[in-house]
Amino acid sequence: MDLSLKPAATAVDAVRGTLAEHFGDRLQSGTSFCEQHANTATGRGTQAPDMVVWPETTQEVSLIARTCWEQGVPLIPFGAGSSLEGQLNAPLGGVSVDMSRMDSLREVLAEDLIAVVGPGLTRKRLNEELRHTGLQFPIDPGADASIGGMCATRASGTNAVRYGTMAENVLALEVVMADGTIIRTGTRAVKSAAGYDLTRLMIGSEATLGIITEITLRLRGIPEETIGGVAGFPDLQSACAAVIIMVQIGLDIGRVELLDPVQIRACNAYSGLTLPEVPTLFFECGGTDASARDTARIFTEIAEEEGALSIEWTAAREARNKLWQARHDSYWAALALRPGCKGLVSDACVPISKLAESIAEARADLDARGLTGTILGHVGDGNFHVVLMTDPEDMDEAAQVADFLKGISRRAQAVGGTCTGEHGIGQGKITSLADEAGASLAVMRAVKAALDPRNILNPGKLFGDLA
Amino acid sequence: MDLSLKPAATAVDAVRGTLAEHFGDRLQSGTSFCEQHANTATGRGTQAPDMVVWPETTQEVSLIARTCWEQGVPLIPFGAGSSLEGQLNAPLGGVSVDMSRMDSLREVLAEDLIAVVGPGLTRKRLNEELRHTGLQFPIDPGADASIGGMCATRASGTNAVRYGTMAENVLALEVVMADGTIIRTGTRAVKSAAGYDLTRLMIGSEATLGIITEITLRLRGIPEETIGGVAGFPDLQSACAAVIIMVQIGLDIGRVELLDPVQIRACNAYSGLTLPEVPTLFFECGGTDASARDTARIFTEIAEEEGALSIEWTAAREARNKLWQARHDSYWAALALRPGCKGLVSDACVPISKLAESIAEARADLDARGLTGTILGHVGDGNFHVVLMTDPEDMDEAAQVADFLKGISRRAQAVGGTCTGEHGIGQGKITSLADEAGASLAVMRAVKAALDPRNILNPGKLFGDLA
């Protein structure tokens, strides 16, 4: 990391002075504020910004950007702090722009299945506020992330097999560019062929091209009936084979998640489940009463053909919620297997035909290295995670973990997959992105240089040399 | 149009000389070849390129780009010639790059629901070649477009309400950049959070950022059962109201198309149907036998509640195909209403709650101007088309048509929609794009300037000043 790129202290002070004048005590420079606004969710190290500011309007975000632009000082938007690849770290210092006060549900257009939200609104609160409408925003990365952060990292999660990722569920954005210019991308129409798809360019750009200040989301009707199921399998291969068949025949899967025996053990202990410790699919389907039942019936047939040891179904809301809450808590459940440790999570996504072998290789590598980890996956899209419980003080183990994670990415890329299905690049996968992108990395850099020529937007992420 | 931007004749000759050496009689400069490779599908004027070249490999496309880059000569990829907004015209001359020889189905990964194709492969031939696999590529813009062209214009069509547009159905691209560099975007994983979404940046860029030379597509299983229906309504409002309810409750619509009474009259005459001349929905749903029937039952209930005059269902393949072939032929059916005329097609897409009023306004404006036109729409996504039958020799009528089309775009934008749902900007909607994009147009231009600084890729499209 080339620290000569750090802005001069005088530039940082100039930004602080200008912003303090406008923001008053909505600007803070204390160490604890600053450290809370860097990476906190994982075992990755913390690099704190120089100050934190809480804007309340797009105009205020524009003022922050203009001020930073003039002085060449970095700025890093902060949502809910749940990113996993160090996206919030400030290797060159600068300004953390905390979006938590821009968290309103600004508009619901129920007839058009559209909601307009501030970037700081979290997905759980959005769905609470939508409850009376019969509509939902189904993208569900597990953590109660902010919608702005979910856009920035192109998040997805358990519902993506049915509803897609953030890329398929954002219609329009308001974005503050590096120099403070405010633009709008997209429209309220569900599709458009009008020029470059700047919405999708911004989604997944990890705040290196612009700061998202408003999001127009697609909503979905809550299905009339939802049925949940759990199926245990004798081995990984048969669980994956069942999912492959479901995807191939176009079965209307709501979500389908794989948990390996170690993860099941963790969930049993953490969430009070009593599942057999075997490779297990959590499954959910929704629709009309008849279609949901039909889907469940076909799931059962396929699972039985692939040798499922047990299949249980429930349409009861409470039982389903308990299961999915356990799935969502699986990161914490995994960490509880080794108290006092920190978590690091891999995020490969492979063509579904390669999933079983990819997971088996990951397990073999884990065991060969003597690392503690659980495996779980959004198997409907070939995305799986290894949750590693690591002792950050143990340098030998840290090196093993780093090698293990690189191996996961490399093997995924070798079978035509990607080093990240939904967590993004951040600081953690810069070399993996370079490997994966090849000659297209230069195109990404050209876009970055064109839209942020002073490299003030979240520097040190995606690309290796802080550019 | 600033024709001083035309390359010097010596530059064009230099390109011709270099390419002739490599391509032999796969390079043609004759007037008829050149005119066939400009706009031909609509009443819009024709601007022919200086030469046409037929590459067979990505390396050959790269050679063409490098040659044009060195001499500053425009190049314009040509797929099937079915674009509707003048995307293929060559206002500054240059090289038409005919992709028809790069038309192979290169790979089918049935387990992963993936096909890898050359850009010149047409969608109908792709589906013929896939037939034995039980898989399909469902994106269906009506015309037998090339897959490369469908990427370039972000095409969609009748199946988009269920399967999305090209943006949701392309996993990866190989692209030749302006200077001849070959890049790959995306992977074979169904989702990725690895850096900027260059795949989606290229899709819809109308060949102004790069030339697509290979496409990795998502395929879908052909549903076990498909049921088709036709429902006549007393008025537009009730037909649209029925569709709005279906979308809101999340009914698993395959496709739902609206045809206005004039279009029904045209289809009856052209395709030998005998439908009542009233606002009519063509509907299709697929799934398991039980779920398709359930969807059809719910459609019937909703349509009846909204006052449908008649509803007929069929699961017979032949009857369904006749109906959808008539829908696909509706452009030609409309033209046949006024023999000897040319067609121009509007393409607004609005939030679905605005659809009925948008269509009614379009019809009122048509009638007030004394223009001949039919209206049909992919109503599930709020996208509707007016097919105008125009006499290009009649200058007064041409002015009326131009005003009418501008009004359609302007009204769509005023209700939060877009001037183009699926046909793109080309030359036809340059001012509409500028209106719609506002401050984001400068961002589009910055991306264009960064990736094609010599402005050789399809100049004169999207932006007003040939840049």
Side-chain angles (χ1 to χ4, degrees), chain A residues 110-113 135 153-154 156-157 160 165 167-168 177 182-184 187-198 200-201 204-206 208-209 221 244 247-248 288 290-291 294 298 349-353 378 381 383 416-418 420-425 433 436-437 439-440 443-444 446-448 450-451 462-463, chain B residues 110-113 135 153-154 156-157 160 165 167-168 177 182-184 187-198 200-201 204-206 208-209 221 244 247-248 288 290-291 294 298 349-353 378 381 383 416-418 420-425 433 436-437 439-440 443-444 446-448 450-451 462-463:
Chain A
E111 268 200 316
D112 293 316
L113 287 86
L135 299 172
T153 50
R154 205 181 297 132
S156 46
T165 73
E168 288 82 33
M177 304 301 290
I182 301 165
I183 69 164
R184 291 189 158 274
T187 71
R188 291 179 173 189
V190 296
K191 66 182 190 187
S192 169
Y196 303 153
D197 193 344
L198 297 182
R200 260 78 171 247
L201 181 62
S205 69
E206 302 189 16
T208 63
L209 299 178
I244 290 174
V247 170
Q248 279 180 333
T288 64
S291 69
D294 206 42
I298 295 169
C349 190
V350 298
I352 199 169
S353 68
H378 312 311
D381 11 70
N383 187 201
T418 176
T420 172
E422 57 188 10
H423 296 170
I425 300 296
L433 174 63
E436 189 168 317
S440 78
V443 176
M444 293 189 198
V447 170
K448 168 71 173 173
L451 303 190
L462 299 184
F463 306 112
Chain B
E111 267 200 316
D112 293 316
L113 286 85
L135 299 172
T153 50
R154 205 181 297 131
S156 46
T165 72
E168 288 81 34
M177 304 301 290
I182 300 165
I183 68 164
R184 291 190 157 274
T187 70
R188 291 180 172 187
V190 296
K191 67 183 190 186
S192 169
Y196 303 153
D197 193 344
L198 298 182
R200 260 78 171 245
L201 181 62
S205 68
E206 302 189 15
T208 64
L209 299 179
I244 290 174
V247 170
Q248 280 180 332
T288 64
S291 69
D294 208 41
I298 295 170
C349 189
V350 298
I352 197 169
S353 69
H378 312 312
D381 15 66
N383 187 200
T418 176
T420 172
E422 56 188 11
H423 296 170
I425 300 298
L433 175 62
E436 188 168 317
S440 78
V443 176
M444 294 188 198
V447 171
K448 168 72 174 172
L451 303 191
L462 299 184
F463 307 112

Side-chain angles (χ1 to χ4, degrees), chain B residues 23 55-67 75 97 99 102 119 175-177 180 182 211-213:
Chain B
F23 289 93
E56 292 175 350
T57 66
T58 300
Q59 291 303 330
E60 286 190 342
V61 176
S62 173
L63 168 68
I64 297 165
R66 213 162 51 242
T67 306
L75 75 170
V97 185
M99 306 307 249
M102 293 177 67
V175 182
V176 172
M177 304 301 290
I182 300 165
I211 306 161
I212 294 167
T213 49

Side-chain angles (χ1 to χ4, degrees), chain A residues 361-442:
Chain A
E361 284 166 1
R363 170 53 66 195
D365 196 19
L366 264 184
D367 294 348
R369 292 175 191 273
L371 296 172
T372 311
T374 68
I375 302 182
L376 66 168
H378 312 311
V379 284
D381 11 70
N383 187 201
F384 69 98
H385 304 300
V386 182
V387 183
L388 290 156
M389 287 67 83
T390 73
D391 174 359
E393 308 294 306
D394 179 340
M395 299 309 288
D396 287 349
E397 188 178 272
Q400 284 288 336
V401 165
D403 272 2
F404 173 81
L405 290 173
K406 273 185 205 147
I408 290 267
S409 294
R410 207 171 39 236
R411 284 194 303 272
Q413 290 164 348
V415 297
T418 176
C419 63
T420 172
E422 57 188 10
H423 296 170
I425 300 296
Q427 299 178 309
K429 288 193 179 134
I430 287 173
T431 55
S432 295
L433 174 63
D435 291 344
E436 189 168 317
S440 78
L441 196 73

